[in-house]
Amino acid sequence: MNKKRILIAASLGFAQLSICQLAAAQDSLQLKDVVITATKNDQKQSQTGKVVTIISSEVLERSHGKSLPDLISEQAGIIVAGSSSNPGLNKSVFFRGAGSAYAVVLIDGIVQNDPSGNGGAFDLRLLSIDQIDRIEILRGGQSTIYGSDAVAGVINIITKKGGPKGNTIYGVASAGSYNTYKGTIGLNGGVEGFTYNVNYTQNKTDGISEAANPVGNTAEFDKDGFRTGALNANFGLKLTNQLSINPFVRYYYGNYSFDGGAFTDAGNYSILKNVAAGTNAKYEFGTGKVTLNYSYESTSNDAHSSFPSFTQGKVNIVDLFYNQKLNDKLDLLVGIDNRVMKLTASGSNPKSNIFAAYSSLFLHDLSIFNLEVGGRYNKHEQYGENYTYSITPSINIIKEIKLFGTVSTAFKVPTLNMLFGQFGANLALKPEKSQNYEAGVNFSFADDKFSLRVAGYKRDLKDAIIYAYPAGYVNQVNQKTKGFEVEPAVKLGKFSFNGYYAYVEGNEFNFVDNAIADYLFRRPKHTFGLTAGLKATENLFLSANYRYFGNRTDGNFSTYTVDTLPAYKLLGAYAEYAIAAKRVKIFFDAKNILNEKYSEIIGYNSLSFNFNTGVTFNIR
């Protein structure tokens, strides 16, 4: 399908949405009165010009048959490579055409980081949907608030917290194709001044083989599955009317099998462990609030293959910030944070420290005008100092129409492997820096029953760090990316329809033939999604989801060429039936998938059917 035909199809799809009240994409909230915590100022969506998507607890409750990478990849402008492939395959998040380590993952507002990895990104496979209350997604550069890596966006995952007074036992049990089983058991509740939520999730699947059987080979390749366990414990202590402390402990374990290459079967596996502990503390007084976030995180990866390795990274994060309501229309945010990152490797234990001070002013509801202005100072132990800023105006022309835009800078620090690793380390590396531009319009009519958001963006990244053999890691190239997203939604009575179309193009360093190419690896120019939901009865909910991913390129390391991979489509269906006054819920999830088996490498097409069914319960 050529570009012209794709654009025509997308246009017809949106026309049909308007005429027939149909639409597209993952069912996610875009209500103007939803409070956003990821901005560190508890704003309503109507008061900010940032492009925000909220995945609600209702959507998560209807997603038990999916993984977190599956759910994230259903959002406009986000590609999670491997989300529809073998569950044990690494999941790389490509946010608005940026590379796989240019988005920050937060858990309950605290930055997650893996210093042991080449990119430092948090592994989304570690967290189960059953443990999440809601997800906030902020698109665009967010380094002014969250520092390094927040070049293309932020994903804030908010976990489930304590329940009402008393004790509640809850759980989810499900089974599906490929011998897939998942179970979650939890206990939550509270007494005066104390709440808690403790849950554990166990998950396993046989999976599929990622390798394609070479022509003439009759031996069957073994399946590559995984086994994971996740413990999440949150506590809330209200010591006084002003002071609250919320400690947490998390432990994730994963044993993932993988093949030896595109056409090579192997008994390889890796054991991934993540431990995190810390606290959130708040002191509120009058019109002000002081918040302290502290987190200790340790991640290890023990790989067993022809090239065995063991890496472990540790990070300590302290983030202290102060919110002050100066008047009814002006808020102030001032904060400092300090991060100490350590890498355990053979023969050395390198570390790095980055300190930052940041501040933002939020002007809101000034007639039709809102404005956010912020800046950040960073001091890195190795490369020195750098600065970022962000300016985000928005105008509510009328209640139903809002114009918004952002001009900002963002950055990504070199990882410990780049600075101190065994292969190509370079202590003279500078941070990667981006200049970001964004503008759009949001329409909302009939109390959000009809909505449409259109956003365009442009990002120029300089001093990009690449591995240039044999020199090693160097700051070398400038990368340019631009695109736009269209997100319509309709909610009429028992029916809901949502959708998106996203376009992205850009250039980047081609690591196959060591040159700058006018395309982005693994990121299609065109993606398109449709979701329809029906509340058939008080107890029965039905939905169907369709997604299209256009052609894209990748490196073929068997021939050392750049290959074009064909477009593919995903079709999913979901049914949920709740009984016993919603205390027990039975759900069914099925996906009929025309996907690419090991698509990032060889583009081998396969047709598969995934089935998942289960029961949730809630006992008090």
Side-chain angles (χ1 to χ4, degrees):
M1 183 180 292
N2 59 32
K3 178 178 179 181
K4 182 177 180 180
R5 290 173 61 191
I6 293 172
L7 292 175
I8 292 173
S11 300
L12 290 174
F14 291 128
Q16 183 182 15
L17 168 68
S18 302
I19 298 172
C20 303
Q21 298 173 343
L22 293 174
Q26 170 61 38
D27 183 15
S28 53
L29 292 180
Q30 296 178 7
L31 303 178
K32 57 182 176 294
D33 292 328
V34 173
V35 175
I36 306 159
T37 63
T39 61
K40 292 188 177 180
N41 195 48
D42 294 346
Q43 295 172 276
K44 295 180 180 180
Q45 276 195 274
S46 60
Q47 297 173 334
T48 180
K50 295 183 182 296
V51 179
V52 183
T53 297
I54 309 295
I55 303 176
S56 69
S57 57
E58 181 183 17
V59 173
L60 289 159
E61 284 297 316
R62 294 169 180 167
S63 303
H64 289 300
K66 302 175 183 177
S67 67
L68 181 56
D70 285 336
L71 189 60
I72 295 297
S73 68
E74 293 179 0
Q75 310 308 313
I78 304 177
I79 303 293
V80 181
S83 63
S84 300
S85 301
N86 186 37
L89 182 70
N90 288 335
K91 312 301 179 187
S92 301
V93 180
F94 297 101
F95 215 124
R96 280 188 164 180
S100 61
Y102 294 83
V104 165
V105 174
L106 315 172
I107 297 182
D108 296 325
I110 300 177
V111 173
Q112 304 300 297
N113 191 270
D114 177 15
S116 68
N118 284 331
F122 177 76
D123 194 329
L124 290 176
R125 297 176 298 177
L126 295 173
L127 194 58
S128 172
I129 280 178
D130 304 334
Q131 298 176 337
I132 302 173
D133 180 66
R134 70 182 189 277
I135 301 172
E136 301 173 344
I137 299 175
L138 275 68
R139 292 171 173 82
Q142 308 294 333
S143 282
T144 297
I145 299 177
Y146 288 107
S148 178
D149 300 9
V151 173
V154 167
I155 301 171
N156 185 25
I157 300 168
I158 300 169
T159 60
K160 292 180 177 179
K161 303 298 190 300
K165 289 183 179 181
N167 301 302
T168 301
I169 299 174
Y170 64 92
V172 178
S174 62
S177 54
Y178 309 116
N179 286 322
T180 300
Y181 302 96
K182 183 174 72 169
T184 294
I185 186 71
L187 178 66
N188 68 16
V191 295
E192 191 68 31
F194 175 72
T195 61
Y196 66 93
N197 183 59
V198 180
N199 56 63
Y200 177 76
T201 299
Q202 185 77 38
N203 196 3
K204 65 87 61 180
T205 182
D206 288 348
I208 61 175
S209 175
E210 286 293 337
N213 212 330
V215 177
N217 184 19
T218 58
E220 184 177 353
F221 285 2
D222 69 327
K223 297 178 180 179
D224 298 306
F226 70 79
R227 300 189 310 276
T228 63
L231 172 68
N232 182 56
N234 292 288
F235 306 93
L237 298 169
K238 193 169 182 61
L239 301 180
T240 69
N241 289 333
Q242 292 79 33
L243 178 62
S244 62
I245 300 176
N246 307 285
F248 64 86
V249 177
R250 294 189 295 269
Y251 173 75
Y252 306 122
Y253 168 89
N255 187 325
Y256 304 96
S257 299
F258 59 95
D259 286 307
F263 300 94
T264 306
D265 190 21
N268 300 333
Y269 67 95
S270 64
I271 298 175
L272 189 64
K273 296 180 181 179
N274 176 274
V275 179
T279 189
N280 162 268
K282 294 181 181 179
Y283 183 76
E284 302 180 58
F285 54 94
T287 57
K289 177 174 65 174
V290 176
T291 302
L292 171 66
N293 287 327
Y294 169 74
S295 174
Y296 165 81
E297 186 178 1
S298 174
T299 305
S300 66
N301 192 343
D302 187 7
H304 297 257
S305 66
S306 300
F307 303 95
S309 65
F310 177 82
T311 58
Q312 184 176 31
K314 300 178 181 180
V315 59
N316 281 276
I317 297 177
V318 178
D319 185 13
L320 177 66
F321 57 95
Y322 167 59
N323 297 92
Q324 178 62 53
K325 192 174 184 62
L326 300 177
N327 57 47
D328 290 340
K329 300 184 182 302
L330 187 62
D331 302 334
L332 172 67
L333 167 69
V334 179
I336 58 173
D337 79 35
N338 190 75
R339 306 178 193 182
V340 179
M341 297 165 285
K342 298 181 181 179
L343 178 65
T344 300
S346 57
S348 64
N349 295 284
K351 73 177 185 69
S352 183
N353 181 87
I354 182 168
F355 169 82
Y358 58 92
S359 179
S360 292
L361 276 172
F362 303 85
L363 178 65
H364 54 85
D365 301 321
L366 184 63
S367 182
I368 63 172
F369 187 65
N370 303 288
L371 177 66
E372 302 171 35
V373 179
R376 185 183 187 97
Y377 163 78
N378 308 279
K379 184 173 178 59
H380 190 274
E381 187 174 354
Q382 273 72 41
Y383 69 72
E385 301 174 337
N386 68 294
Y387 305 85
T388 60
Y389 70 87
S390 177
I391 304 172
T392 304
S394 63
I395 300 174
N396 296 301
I397 297 177
I398 57 176
K399 180 181 177 182
E400 293 81 9
I401 302 176
K402 180 173 74 172
L403 300 177
F404 57 86
T406 296
V407 178
S408 66
T409 57
F411 72 103
K412 177 176 175 58
V413 302
T415 66
L416 294 180
N417 274 311
M418 296 172 180
L419 294 170
F420 303 102
Q422 297 178 345
F423 305 101
N426 181 1
L427 274 171
L429 290 173
K430 298 180 292 184
E432 303 179 64
K433 301 175 183 178
S434 72
Q435 180 73 50
N436 312 296
Y437 306 92
E438 183 174 60
V441 60
N442 189 84
F443 301 94
S444 178
F445 301 100
D447 294 327
D448 284 327
K449 290 184 175 63
F450 301 87
S451 64
L452 173 66
R453 181 169 66 191
V454 181
Y457 60 90
K458 183 176 183 291
R459 182 178 59 253
D460 297 336
L461 183 72
K462 66 178 183 179
D463 293 327
I465 299 175
I466 63 169
Y467 189 88
Y469 182 82
Y473 289 105
V474 296
N475 293 100
Q476 186 184 47
V477 298
N478 293 336
Q479 299 177 1
K480 297 182 182 296
T481 307
K482 61 182 178 181
F484 65 89
E485 300 149 357
V486 182
E487 300 175 83
V490 175
K491 296 180 182 179
L492 289 175
K494 297 181 179 181
F495 295 91
S496 62
F497 306 92
N498 300 279
Y500 71 84
Y501 169 73
Y503 174 84
V504 64
E505 66 177 20
N507 61 19
E508 67 177 354
F509 182 76
N510 181 335
F511 50 82
V512 176
D513 50 24
N514 296 319
I516 297 176
D518 290 327
Y519 46 77
L520 302 171
F521 272 15
R522 306 178 186 175
R523 282 147 282 177
K525 285 186 176 182
H526 308 278
T527 56
F528 179 64
L530 298 166
T531 292
L534 168 64
K535 185 74 172 176
T537 69
E538 183 65 25
N539 297 329
L540 179 62
F541 176 80
L542 305 170
S543 70
N545 177 282
Y546 170 84
R547 287 183 289 153
Y548 168 84
F549 298 84
N551 296 342
R552 63 235 178 276
T553 59
D554 204 347
N556 188 328
F557 291 97
S558 297
T559 59
Y560 284 91
T561 58
V562 176
D563 294 349
T564 298
L565 304 181
Y568 68 100
K569 310 170 187 67
L570 302 180
L571 178 64
Y574 179 86
E576 173 187 284
Y577 187 76
I579 61 175
K582 300 184 180 179
R583 292 297 184 187
V584 179
K585 181 170 60 180
I586 299 174
F587 63 87
F588 164 83
D589 185 41
K591 292 181 182 178
N592 192 10
I593 303 176
L594 180 61
N595 66 350
E596 291 170 333
K597 187 177 180 182
Y598 216 61
S599 60
E600 282 77 22
I601 301 299
I602 58 174
Y604 177 79
N605 289 323
S606 66
L607 181 66
S608 63
F609 180 78
N610 293 345
F611 169 83
N612 186 79
T613 187
V615 175
T616 67
F617 62 88
N618 185 2
I619 302 173
R620 294 192 65 191

